[in-house]
Amino acid sequence: MRPASSSTPNPNSNQNPDAKPANRNSSGLVLGLNTVQWFIFLLANSVAMPIVIGSVFHLPLEEVASLMQRTFFIVGVSSLLQGALGHRYPIADGPAGSWVSVFVIMADMALQRGENLHDTLQIIEGGLLVTGALLFLLGVSGLFYRMLSLFTPLVTGSFLLLLAIQLSGVFLKGMLGLSGEAVRMDTGTAAVAIGVFAIVIVLSVKGKGWLRNYAVLIGIGLGWAAYAAFGLGRSGATDAASPSDSTASAPWFELPELFAWGPPHWNAGIVITGALFTLILVSNTIAAISAVSQVAPASPKATPKSIYNRGSIAGGVTHFLTASFSTMGLVPLPVSAGFIQLTGEKRRSPFLAACVLLALVALFPGLVHVLALLPGPVANAALFATFVQMVGISVQSILRDPLDQRRLTILGITLVFGAGLMFQPSTAFQALPPSVQYICGNGLLIGTMLAIVLEQLWKKRPA
């Protein structure tokens, strides 16, 4: 079956993304600023999750600092691998929300059973290896591209919309200063964060020239300055128990540690979970490539088949790396399309330079701890603005075909179940087997599976 063309990028639809228009891209200053902006985007998508995982698994300060270093390193290497050899789009890799939910659920289950939390982390390493092997095999065999027919514009649009709904709650919570132990909104923090969001949106819509191109960088810079000026905290991305407190004692150079959580372990539940989560990672990769292909051109030598299969192979290698370096599973982030739309920067060269820079910075723990001072509410606000663009891309995908009663019903079922599950407590499915708990506790996975199944079973009647 021929894959759905609406989800397939057209590599010849635009000029080479690395082509250099006159009087703009030849400037080293412009390249440097665009690299810094991509660097901050990669950093902002990576800095919070190590704190979350450290808190959930009760990791000591030194281990959280080490996890942050490893995360930065793998995000840089993975994004570089995909951008240079994989799908070859400027798409940032970052911690997958679906994998974070697995971390949280498994930690809760381990605590309830009185199990060792470090053993649980080793089991998750095994799940990452299972998923990596499956993604690699799908890409090498060419099956990944053949699966494209399952991801129609309705499925892809529904996935992006559910992803925006899922992550918007996380980012808005951070903007309001509700991270960590806080249960009440911090008025000053929320005011600065909302101001950053407004600045980024206004500059990206009304700004001209460099004001529009560097809206995210300007917003973060002004927000960080305001955060410091009003004394809103030493670190918003990290609270008082952040690894930034140990900056003075950090070694100046250190290679990331292999298997910091110990050797990987396997059980039946994590193998089943890894296999099923491969589907959500496939949909995530397809959605990211599809979204970015609408706003940035592909390499002129690339074919749709090679783009997707190489992306799957690189995704498999990335999961091997995340298991080996004991970090969270990474995926191409569809929100990169929103970032590209906001900044207007479509070239790969500054993106690849930013990936190299982040990987190199991760080798210097002192610098990692300084970067961890980036206020979380400010980073969350800048990223929150990119979700506005992603919602627009999801709606455009859904509207590629007429919204008849069949498509409206499928969309409605997908959203009510997918979004509804996102609001359920982690204890809601305790009576179910562990592997089923992981699945039912993930609204993004359930919603995407429903959309795929309904699209395939409920065929449109021929006119």
Side-chain angles (χ1 to χ4, degrees):
M1 181 180 293
R2 181 181 177 86
S5 59
S6 55
S7 296
T8 304
N10 181 1
N12 299 315
S13 61
N14 275 299
Q15 61 182 359
N16 186 346
D18 290 318
K20 297 185 177 182
N23 301 324
R24 180 175 185 268
N25 298 331
S26 59
S27 168
L29 177 61
V30 171
L31 177 62
L33 288 174
N34 288 330
T35 298
V36 170
Q37 191 163 237
W38 267 114
F39 175 81
I40 292 178
F41 181 74
L42 289 165
L43 176 69
N45 276 292
S46 311
V47 71
M49 290 307 178
I51 307 300
V52 173
I53 299 303
S55 174
V56 168
F57 281 87
H58 303 160
L59 299 179
L61 180 62
E62 294 76 14
E63 289 192 34
V64 176
S66 178
L67 175 58
M68 184 172 289
Q69 179 202 16
R70 299 194 304 272
T71 300
F72 288 174
F73 179 74
I74 293 302
V75 166
V77 171
S78 175
S79 300
L80 178 65
L81 177 66
Q82 283 281 19
L85 302 174
H87 50 62
R88 298 182 184 175
Y89 277 104
I91 304 176
D93 274 15
S98 52
W99 271 117
V100 173
S101 68
V102 172
F103 275 77
V104 173
I105 291 172
M106 290 192 67
D108 286 342
M109 292 171 55
L111 288 173
Q112 292 165 13
R113 298 174 181 176
E115 297 173 349
N116 187 294
L117 287 175
H118 262 83
D119 291 343
T120 302
L121 289 171
Q122 291 174 278
I123 292 173
I124 294 176
E125 284 180 346
L128 289 168
L129 290 175
V130 170
T131 303
L134 290 175
L135 284 174
F136 187 85
L137 291 175
L138 285 174
V140 170
S141 66
L143 289 175
F144 189 95
Y145 181 68
R146 295 180 184 179
M147 293 176 67
L148 220 60
S149 60
L150 299 176
F151 295 89
T152 63
L154 180 59
V155 172
T156 301
S158 299
F159 173 86
L160 289 172
L161 196 54
L162 282 172
L163 182 64
I165 292 172
Q166 181 188 60
L167 296 181
S168 62
V170 176
F171 286 110
L172 185 58
K173 181 179 179 181
M175 287 172 61
L176 299 179
L178 297 176
S179 57
E181 299 295 328
V183 294
R184 293 184 180 179
M185 179 183 73
D186 184 298
T187 307
T189 295
V192 170
I194 293 172
V196 171
F197 173 82
I199 289 171
V200 174
I201 291 295
V202 170
L203 290 180
S204 64
V205 174
K206 299 292 186 180
K208 303 294 183 182
W210 66 272
L211 285 175
R212 180 184 184 276
N213 293 339
Y214 303 113
V216 174
L217 187 59
I218 293 169
I220 288 178
L222 292 176
W224 199 340
Y227 203 85
F230 293 115
L232 294 175
R234 293 176 298 165
S235 171
T238 62
D239 49 29
S242 76
S244 61
D245 292 335
S246 59
T247 301
S249 60
W252 75 273
F253 179 86
E254 184 179 61
L255 293 173
E257 183 181 359
L258 282 170
F259 294 110
W261 296 332
H265 292 169
W266 288 270
N267 61 31
I270 198 63
V271 171
I272 294 172
T273 300
L276 288 172
F277 263 71
T278 302
L279 175 63
I280 198 68
L281 299 180
V282 167
S283 60
N284 201 114
T285 302
I286 291 175
I289 295 175
S290 177
V292 172
S293 68
Q294 297 179 46
V295 296
S299 170
K301 297 181 180 180
T303 63
K305 183 177 181 179
S306 66
I307 289 172
Y308 284 103
N309 286 336
R310 288 199 312 258
S312 182
I313 293 171
V317 174
T318 290
H319 272 70
F320 293 147
L321 291 174
T322 58
S324 300
F325 285 92
S326 301
T327 64
M328 294 131 305
L330 304 182
V331 293
L333 299 176
V335 73
S336 300
F339 177 82
I340 292 171
Q341 277 195 329
L342 279 175
T343 62
E345 178 52 63
K346 303 178 181 181
R347 296 174 302 156
R348 281 194 307 159
S349 50
F351 167 74
L352 296 178
C355 297
V356 173
L357 181 60
L358 183 62
L360 290 177
V361 164
L363 302 179
F364 301 89
L367 290 177
V368 171
H369 297 160
V370 170
L371 291 173
L373 293 171
L374 172 66
V378 172
N380 286 327
L383 293 177
F384 200 59
T386 65
F387 279 95
V388 174
Q389 306 294 328
M390 193 169 79
V391 169
I393 293 172
S394 71
V395 173
Q396 288 175 345
S397 179
I398 293 170
L399 294 178
R400 285 184 186 175
D401 295 322
L403 276 179
D404 54 18
Q405 189 60 47
R406 168 186 167 276
R407 298 183 83 243
L408 280 171
T409 303
I410 293 175
L411 178 62
I413 293 173
T414 298
L415 293 182
V416 296
F417 271 97
L421 285 171
M422 294 175 188
F423 294 100
Q424 304 310 309
S426 58
T427 56
F429 305 103
Q430 281 184 354
L432 301 175
S435 57
V436 181
Q437 288 185 43
Y438 310 150
I439 299 166
C440 292
N442 193 299
L444 182 63
L445 174 61
I446 294 296
T448 304
M449 291 176 64
L450 279 173
I452 292 173
V453 170
L454 291 173
E455 272 276 71
Q456 295 302 310
L457 295 183
W458 187 0
K459 296 294 185 180
K460 183 178 180 180
R461 293 181 179 178

